[in-house]
Amino acid sequence: LSWSRERLVKRGVEVKGELVSVEEVQDESSESEEEFDDDDESLEDEEGVGDVAVKEEEGIDHSRLNLDITAMIAYVSALTNGGNNFTFKEPVLCQQAAWERERPVKDLLDSAFSGKQLLCCRSAMEDFKTILATLGGEGERARADQLVARVTVVDDQESSRSSQLEHSGKINDRSRTIFGTGDVLKVVTVTANTGFIRAARGQGVAFSVLTHESRALTEDKQRTAVAP
């Protein structure tokens, strides 16, 4: 799946930053992301989905990617792995299923991950595993095990730029650590947390990011959903 600048502009999205193709660099009200304060926003509120916004002044290491919790959840979700035709009781999951049928997130992430070393900070991995243990279905946990085997866990870090961010509804210690780790390592952070990105920009800090739409863990929700 290719998300060109022209397609995004046609959707009314203002694309900012230096645009790099996915091949080169290559928030949601679900229970899992409610717990971690991510955005509950429609696509129209997402900025530059599928594009990479890279700080021009930085020498970014394009051989590696820093994964946010949202990216790991989206990658292993039943929604992105063939389960997007269910009609769920939860409206937000129905909305995400419709988005997934039209714009598969797994395709975007697979393309982005290809040939890259995948990193995540220690606290992101710990929180990801906690979410999977609590909310993940059997298939989601199995896919998570495969993904974790590909990811190199690094120590939590905060850059001078992330540490200067003032706390708000969209900026918390966990997000400052996740994005700060990517900032210190000079790598792109893959994330659906556009609320943090906009809040940081509002404080004058722009991180290097690849954004994607949110996807929840839905395997257990399939039990009460209408099957296709």
Side-chain angles (χ1 to χ4, degrees):
L1 180 67
S2 174
W3 287 92
S4 66
R5 179 183 185 280
E6 289 73 20
R7 288 181 64 192
L8 290 164
V9 170
K10 287 179 181 179
R11 298 186 70 91
V13 175
E14 181 182 3
V15 181
K16 300 179 180 180
E18 177 187 355
L19 299 182
V20 183
S21 70
V22 170
E23 287 76 15
E24 290 176 335
V25 178
Q26 358 213 161
D27 266 317
E28 136 185 312
S29 286
S30 70
E31 294 175 18
S32 59
E33 292 194 349
E34 280 179 353
E35 180 180 353
F36 288 90
D37 300 325
D38 292 329
D39 286 352
D40 174 18
E41 299 178 354
S42 66
L43 174 66
E44 286 70 26
D45 291 326
E46 303 241 9
E47 297 184 2
V49 172
D51 275 328
V52 182
V54 180
K55 302 189 302 300
E56 296 182 9
E57 70 274 13
E58 295 243 1
I60 297 298
D61 177 2
H62 293 306
S63 69
R64 304 188 292 175
L65 293 171
N66 177 42
L67 304 187
D68 187 9
I69 303 166
T70 55
M72 294 187 284
I73 289 176
Y75 194 78
V76 306
S77 167
L79 269 185
T80 62
N81 288 274
N84 58 24
N85 288 315
F86 286 85
T87 301
F88 296 94
K89 289 186 175 181
E90 300 80 6
V92 67
L93 298 186
C94 288
Q95 182 181 53
Q96 288 192 10
W99 289 351
E100 181 64 19
R101 290 192 294 271
E102 182 179 353
R103 299 178 295 275
V105 166
K106 187 72 175 293
D107 289 355
L108 171 67
L109 296 178
D110 274 331
S111 182
F113 292 176
S114 178
K116 303 297 189 294
Q117 181 185 11
L118 305 181
L119 311 173
C120 81
C121 66
R122 196 168 307 281
S123 61
M125 180 59 74
E126 291 174 354
D127 287 348
F128 174 60
K129 289 181 177 180
T130 297
I131 295 171
L132 261 295
T134 306
L135 300 172
E138 181 178 353
E140 289 168 334
R141 290 194 296 269
R143 286 188 292 273
D145 288 342
Q146 295 173 354
L147 176 61
V148 168
R150 298 172 57 188
V151 176
T152 299
V153 178
V154 299
D155 289 336
D156 291 354
Q157 302 181 66
E158 276 205 38
S159 66
S160 59
R161 293 167 0 98
S162 67
S163 62
Q164 77 183 40
L165 295 173
E166 297 181 2
H167 285 74
S168 68
K170 298 297 184 182
I171 296 176
N172 55 33
D173 287 336
R174 185 188 58 258
S175 294
R176 293 199 321 181
T177 297
I178 291 171
F179 286 84
T181 298
D183 202 32
V184 169
L185 298 176
K186 297 188 184 302
V187 297
V188 172
T189 296
V190 186
T191 183
N193 193 350
T194 55
F196 174 88
I197 295 168
R198 281 194 296 274
R201 284 179 184 164
Q203 295 187 31
V205 178
F207 293 97
S208 297
V209 295
L210 167 61
T211 57
H212 60 87
E213 291 178 13
S214 294
R215 297 292 184 263
L217 298 175
T218 59
E219 188 172 357
D220 282 348
K221 297 292 185 180
Q222 291 176 0
R223 300 180 205 171
T224 57
V226 177

